[in-house]
Amino acid sequence: MNSIQYRVQFDFEIEFSNGGGLQGQGFRLDIDGDDIGDAELVDYIVRDLRLLMVGPARILNKQILVEAHKRKAGGLEHGATRYVDLSHTIEDGLVTYPGMPAAHICDYLSREYSREIYAEGTQFHIGRIDMVANTGTYIDCPSHRYEDGADLSQIRAEDCADLDAIVVRIAPSVKSIDVAYFRDLELRGRAVLVHTGWDRHFATPAYADGHPFLTEDAAVWLRDCGVKLVGIDSMNIDDTSRDDTRGKTRPVHSTLLGAGILIVEHLRNLAALPDEGFSFSAVPPKVKGMGTFPVRALAKIVG
């Protein structure tokens, strides 16, 4: 039985940048929820009708209808692209890594104060954020671990964007993820995302208590197999227990970052991905002298 319950009906007007235009009345699409933005509807029209040279576009007379339909959610036909957000939201007061300070988000220039600066009817907002780099979903590059390692300004875009990716599923009962979980897999040149389900504890005290982690032998195997990036939906890719023999050496960070392999921690929503057949991106800002920074981690699925 089809589970989709919502459809949107609308008219549209599109102008082409090289002249002419296109109009539509009573156009309908299936959607996943009870609302959709005009810009997203324009994107669907452009993609579904394979339009080129699209200029200004307007959505008119939009209505949300509750009814089932056989078309795929969002109007995605075979070969279309969708994105899955794998990032946690950074908000005021968020503590990602227990023991580190919370993020503080505030106004630098409020809309109210901007009225005193700009012409009547014109206002802007400029925000300010104070946070440690280890906030939200973030990427580690070699300088996070090694003084002479590449920092965020030195890593290449091709090392963190549009990577062929694979998901490795780990049972909830498993905490120590050893090399056995990565054998017999095609790994070379790929982003390897480790799905433990631990993201369900994010921003709670349980998040740091007995979290899943990779072992050193797993890290060595991934390095030797030539992976490009390793991500995990857990508090840390290493064992962070307070046992002196395990919790302070960080062998996974040392092994992967020492080989120039990037690490993304605190992923979420990996259950929404297929095991393979998608690309992964986690692009940080180009900050000199910084080894870690939050990213918007995304999976791109075609078809």
Side-chain angles (χ1 to χ4, degrees):
M1 183 177 65
N2 197 308
S3 61
I4 294 176
Q5 298 296 315
Y6 296 98
R7 305 179 77 195
V8 59
Q9 177 176 298
F10 58 97
D11 304 334
F12 65 87
E13 297 176 352
I14 292 176
E15 298 176 31
F16 295 109
S17 59
N18 59 347
L22 179 69
Q23 294 182 341
Q25 287 80 41
F27 204 83
R28 293 189 178 193
L29 284 173
D30 292 341
I31 57 177
D32 288 326
D34 59 0
D35 197 15
I36 187 169
D38 289 359
E40 192 174 358
L41 285 177
V42 171
D43 289 341
Y44 284 145
I45 295 168
V46 171
R47 183 180 63 240
D48 283 8
L49 299 183
R50 299 182 180 181
L51 302 178
L52 300 173
M53 306 293 287
V54 173
R58 290 170 291 279
I59 301 297
L60 308 168
N61 303 319
K62 183 171 66 177
Q63 301 178 63
I64 303 299
L65 308 175
V66 181
E67 56 183 276
H69 190 263
K70 294 181 179 179
R71 195 177 186 195
K72 291 183 179 179
L76 292 174
E77 300 290 359
H78 180 70
T81 300
R82 66 184 177 95
Y83 292 88
V84 179
D85 193 334
L86 307 175
S87 310
H88 289 287
T89 299
I90 297 174
E91 58 187 355
D92 187 54
L94 174 68
V95 175
T96 299
Y97 203 102
M100 292 188 181
H104 178 53
I105 301 173
C106 61
D107 294 335
Y108 174 76
L109 176 69
S110 69
R111 297 188 188 279
E112 292 73 20
Y113 184 70
S114 77
R115 294 171 185 157
E116 301 178 18
I117 300 174
Y118 300 101
E120 183 177 356
T122 302
Q123 57 179 280
F124 293 94
H125 175 262
I126 300 175
R128 179 170 180 169
I129 182 167
D130 179 14
M131 65 181 184
V132 294
N134 297 55
T135 298
T137 302
Y138 54 78
I139 194 167
D140 293 340
C141 58
S143 73
H144 177 54
R145 172 65 179 81
Y146 297 101
E147 186 174 1
D148 60 349
D151 65 20
L152 293 169
S153 70
Q154 296 169 319
I155 61 174
R156 305 176 305 168
E158 55 265 37
D159 292 329
C160 57
D162 288 327
L163 304 178
D164 182 31
I166 182 174
V167 177
V168 178
R169 314 284 180 188
I170 307 298
S173 60
V174 176
K175 293 295 183 281
S176 179
I177 304 166
D178 63 24
V179 66
Y181 293 93
F182 303 99
R183 293 192 185 277
D184 301 320
L185 296 174
E186 185 61 55
L187 301 172
R188 188 162 302 276
R190 297 178 115 178
V192 179
L193 309 182
V194 183
H195 175 212
T196 70
W198 201 253
D199 56 318
R200 67 187 181 277
H201 298 302
F202 185 76
T204 73
Y207 194 58
D209 186 13
H211 66 84
F213 59 90
L214 269 60
T215 62
E216 183 174 9
D217 69 334
V220 170
W221 177 261
L222 291 169
R223 179 199 65 193
D224 293 348
C225 287
V227 304
K228 293 276 284 186
L229 178 150
V230 183
I232 192 168
D233 59 354
S234 181
M235 207 264 306
N236 200 298
I237 202 167
D238 264 300
D239 181 4
T240 62
S241 67
R242 297 187 181 277
D243 187 316
D244 287 342
T245 63
R246 295 190 302 164
K248 296 183 178 180
T249 56
R250 302 296 196 270
V252 180
H253 279 85
S254 299
T255 299
L256 297 178
L257 296 178
I261 298 167
L262 303 177
I263 297 170
V264 178
E265 294 173 310
H266 313 285
L267 288 166
R268 63 175 289 274
N269 204 26
L270 294 181
L273 301 181
D275 290 348
E276 55 186 329
F278 66 95
S279 63
F280 175 77
S281 297
V283 182
K286 201 172 181 179
V287 184
K288 188 173 181 63
M290 188 74 74
T292 299
F293 209 83
V295 294
R296 186 72 176 265
L298 298 169
K300 178 182 178 181
I301 304 173
V302 179

